[in-house]
Amino acid sequence: MEIERLLEEAKKELEEIKSPEDLEKIRIKYLGRKGELKKLFENLKNIQPEKRKEYGRKLNELKIFLEEEIRKRRERFEKKEKKEIDPTLPGVYKERGYLHILKEEIKRIEEILVGLCFEIEKGPEIETEFNNFEALNIPEHHPARDMQATLFLEKEKIILRTHTSPIQIRTMLKKRPPIRICAPGRVYRRDAFDASHSPVFHQVEGLYIDKDVTFSNLKGTMEIFLREYFEKKDLEIKFAPSYFPFTEPSAEVAILWERNGKKEFLEVAGCGMVHPNVLKNCNIDPEEWNGYAFGMGVERLCMVKYSIPDIRLFFENEKRFLKQFSF
Ligand code: DAH
């Protein structure tokens, strides 16, 4: 009879199941809304009346049998699943991410300068020759342009900025003084990689324009900044005369720092009083306003602070190096 055949078939299939998914397939096949049993129940009305009672009883028995078998097997699977979680096994270790050392240091530099009332400015890495050179008092044939072996883009007069100083120009062209900004960013030069050169590196620019700004304002700011950054209250700082076309007078800033067991002055920044021509190029009257500017290399600051011997380490992204700075 149909019911017996179905019972045998279901028993055989139940023996063969390997997963909860197999079990579910069987449930749907027999007990589902369009399942085999449903069809047999629907057939009930076609059975001769005297056999109908017996047929119905057997069908019910089959239904209860299948429901029970499926329930038991499902429980068995669930128990097995629970057993597979072994609480004595070591946990799955997920490494925590951290910022790159340069990102971390730029954040620190910004924090100190914001504390000294500098606002953060940004500028594009693709610049005009005007913003990068001309407006900064570096005319076309000036030898200073050789100092910063420039990467020219295909378009004429468009370059990868060689320093963050063009952000000075952009800011002065759009804002009226007083201005007090710092501007971190990536800069590019036509340099090959070696221990102290990289074709791409980072600088932080500073600019303060107001009335009656003095060189001692600049000195004081540089001293406070460097003592904070190098975390040394009595850090010895030296200003030596230097030359930049966009400042007059100009200075190089060096700090007394221990390197390879002996103390020496290491240069960490360039600075000076903004050249009147630069102000004029930005439509600011040098008779009324004046100011100072400074520029620092972020990699350079980091290398001095943490005794990092080679600039390439910042860009190789070797994890054993970077991890040392995951504070
Ligand atoms: N732009 C200079 C460079 O890349 C660094 C610099 C020096 C910036 C003196 C300044 C400054 O703002 O006053 O070498």
Side-chain angles (χ1 to χ4, degrees):
M1 240 180 77
E2 187 68 8
I3 297 177
E4 263 95 59
R5 197 188 57 74
L6 219 57
L7 176 65
E8 289 312 309
E9 196 185 310
K11 271 184 182 166
K12 219 173 111 215
E13 282 177 26
L14 280 167
E15 288 314 310
E16 283 165 8
I17 59 161
K18 292 193 174 65
S19 67
E21 290 76 29
D22 292 345
L23 189 63
E24 180 62 8
K25 270 187 210 145
I26 291 178
R27 191 191 66 75
I28 292 168
K29 179 177 172 188
Y30 292 98
L31 302 172
R33 267 192 297 123
K34 290 179 190 155
E36 298 290 341
L37 263 74
K38 180 91 179 190
K39 283 185 215 155
L40 292 184
F41 274 114
E42 274 162 9
N43 197 34
L44 204 57
K45 58 182 180 298
N46 303 326
I47 303 285
Q48 293 164 341
E50 61 274 21
K51 287 190 180 166
R52 203 175 284 161
K53 202 174 162 193
E54 173 71 2
Y55 181 93
R57 191 179 55 77
K58 281 203 167 152
L59 205 50
N60 258 326
E61 269 173 20
L62 175 63
K63 185 170 174 254
I64 291 166
F65 172 79
L66 285 174
E67 280 172 351
E68 186 63 9
E69 284 300 305
I70 289 171
R71 189 188 59 75
K72 272 198 275 187
R73 269 159 232 261
R74 183 174 297 138
E75 265 174 22
R76 232 176 279 159
F77 276 127
E78 280 168 3
K79 253 190 214 148
K80 215 164 149 202
E81 225 166 64
K82 266 188 209 143
K83 242 190 241 151
E84 272 163 15
I85 300 168
D86 179 350
T88 64
L89 284 172
V92 183
Y93 177 66
K94 273 246 172 76
E95 215 173 337
R96 274 184 67 180
Y98 48 88
L99 292 181
H100 189 280
I101 166 76
L102 290 174
K103 265 265 156 63
E104 205 63 81
E105 291 309 288
I106 289 171
K107 260 174 60 184
R108 179 72 194 121
I109 292 167
E110 285 176 349
E111 218 169 70
I112 301 168
L113 290 172
V114 166
L116 291 167
C117 293
F118 287 82
E119 286 174 58
I120 299 169
E121 268 292 339
K122 294 270 156 75
E125 290 170 26
I126 296 171
E127 259 299 1
T128 59
E129 276 192 77
F130 177 80
N131 286 341
N132 197 89
F133 294 125
E134 260 103 288
L136 286 160
N137 204 33
I138 315 173
E140 193 137 6
H141 299 291
H142 197 285
R145 293 205 191 190
D146 298 336
M147 271 170 15
Q148 306 190 343
T150 308
L151 289 160
F152 289 86
L153 297 179
E154 266 176 50
K155 261 196 195 160
E156 226 186 321
K157 303 267 176 205
I158 302 289
I159 59 166
L160 291 181
R161 69 179 175 203
T162 60
H163 51 177
T164 44
S165 303
I167 303 173
Q168 290 189 27
I169 303 301
R170 287 178 171 272
T171 309
M172 287 191 281
L173 284 173
K174 76 172 185 226
K175 279 187 193 164
R176 298 318 300 162
I179 289 168
R180 201 198 301 251
I181 56 123
C182 63
R186 223 172 259 154
V187 302
Y188 301 85
R189 295 196 190 169
R190 205 154 43 77
D191 276 330
F193 265 121
D194 67 29
S196 56
H197 291 87
S198 160
V200 51
F201 59 102
H202 299 76
Q203 289 187 334
V204 176
E205 195 77 14
L207 175 72
Y208 176 44
I209 306 289
D210 207 331
K211 293 193 168 161
D212 306 318
V213 181
T214 66
F215 198 91
S216 62
N217 293 153
L218 168 60
K219 251 187 115 181
T221 303
M222 293 308 290
E223 278 175 5
I224 293 171
F225 172 79
L226 292 169
R227 286 181 179 145
E228 277 291 318
Y229 178 74
F230 286 97
E231 293 169 26
K232 200 166 187 290
K233 280 200 176 62
D234 56 353
L235 185 71
E236 219 174 296
I237 297 160
K238 191 170 81 178
F239 284 75
S242 183
Y243 173 74
F244 299 103
F246 35 89
T247 47
E248 179 60 32
S250 305
E252 257 157 31
V253 189
I255 61 165
L256 192 60
W257 200 252
E258 194 174 308
R259 184 159 68 172
N260 302 329
K262 74 175 203 289
K263 282 199 162 186
E264 55 188 316
F265 275 104
L266 302 175
E267 201 194 305
V268 288
C271 64
M273 303 307 289
V274 177
H275 197 291
N277 285 350
V278 175
L279 296 173
K280 274 188 223 157
N281 290 338
C282 299
N283 312 316
I284 293 173
D285 181 1
E287 298 295 326
E288 194 182 350
W289 305 96
N290 77 331
Y292 63 68
F294 57 84
M296 302 175 285
V298 180
E299 285 82 355
R300 171 80 185 155
L301 287 173
C302 263
M303 286 167 83
V304 171
K305 186 171 176 182
Y306 302 113
S307 304
I308 296 166
D310 194 317
I311 196 169
R312 287 168 289 199
L313 286 162
F314 292 110
F315 304 104
E316 282 163 356
N317 285 334
E318 161 65 64
K319 251 171 92 178
R320 283 171 303 175
F321 169 74
L322 294 176
K323 231 185 152 152
Q324 298 175 83
F325 306 100
S326 59
F327 313 111

